[in-house]
Amino acid sequence: MRNGEIVTAGVLALFSIYLMWKSTELPVGYIPDRGPGGGAWPFWLSAIMLICCGITAFNWWRRTTPPSQSDEPFLDGYGWRMVGLVGGGVIVFVALIQIISMYGAIAVFLLYYLRGLGRHSWKLSLTTAITTPLAFFFFFEGAMRITMPTGLPFTDPVFDVLYEIIY
């Protein structure tokens, strides 16, 4: 556990630094008469994450957290299995975006996660897997006017109906 805590803090710190650097491609400060620049939100969230990683590393060094005092393995067999199942699900989710759209991939992932891994009821799993992508669609496409990937042409009839509702 001790090694896992510092390695995780280090990886997240490096990721924070990368996101801070990348977000500076857009203004990160306040733009007069316009508000925060486009990079402000990701930059400052990443800065906060970096500070939290520093606090975690400091507590690790002082051995003040239970994981920093533990000699147990970071992940047992069950933990590694769950990392594989969830990580594999995320990889399949990303691969499905270009095929069945962002919203279709969200629905498939939620169904896999809730019903397959979580063993929740079909009623809850299907309700969540249908309503969540619809809510995201109306939020991003309708309210925010941000278009997400729509997948291959066979998904067009579904999106035609949904766009009729918006416009």
Side-chain angles (χ1 to χ4, degrees):
M1 286 297 257
R2 180 165 166 75
N3 291 339
E5 183 178 34
I6 196 64
V7 167
T8 302
V11 168
L12 289 175
L14 290 173
F15 187 57
S16 300
I17 292 167
Y18 168 76
L19 290 175
M20 290 171 69
W21 169 72
K22 192 70 175 158
S23 64
T24 59
E25 292 176 359
L26 299 171
V28 296
Y30 188 81
I31 301 170
D33 299 324
R34 295 193 61 204
W41 182 249
F43 179 86
W44 293 109
L45 278 178
S46 299
I48 292 168
M49 189 166 80
L50 182 60
I51 290 167
C52 291
C53 291
I55 293 168
T56 299
F58 181 69
N59 287 334
W60 173 86
W61 177 72
R62 291 181 42 222
R63 291 185 182 245
T64 56
T65 62
S68 68
Q69 299 168 2
S70 175
D71 290 328
E72 295 178 27
F74 182 61
L75 288 173
D76 59 4
Y78 176 77
W80 283 111
R81 182 172 170 262
M82 292 312 302
V83 167
L85 290 171
V86 174
V90 170
I91 290 169
V92 171
F93 163 75
V94 171
L96 285 175
I97 291 172
Q98 294 302 319
I99 300 168
I100 61 173
S101 81
M102 174 66 85
Y103 307 107
I106 290 171
V108 169
F109 180 77
L110 284 172
L111 194 60
Y112 163 73
Y113 199 85
L114 291 171
R115 181 65 189 161
L117 296 182
R119 306 284 185 231
H120 292 282
S121 69
W122 277 108
K123 181 180 177 184
L124 173 73
S125 300
L126 286 172
T127 301
T128 305
I130 292 169
T131 59
T132 301
L134 284 173
F136 282 0
F137 175 84
F138 289 116
F139 177 74
F140 284 108
E141 308 280 338
M144 300 289 291
R145 303 283 188 220
I146 298 172
T147 303
M148 295 292 172
T150 57
L152 296 177
F154 70 86
T155 63
D156 289 346
V158 174
F159 286 103
D160 292 342
V161 170
L162 293 173
Y163 282 121
E164 285 293 323
I165 295 171
I166 293 175
Y167 302 110

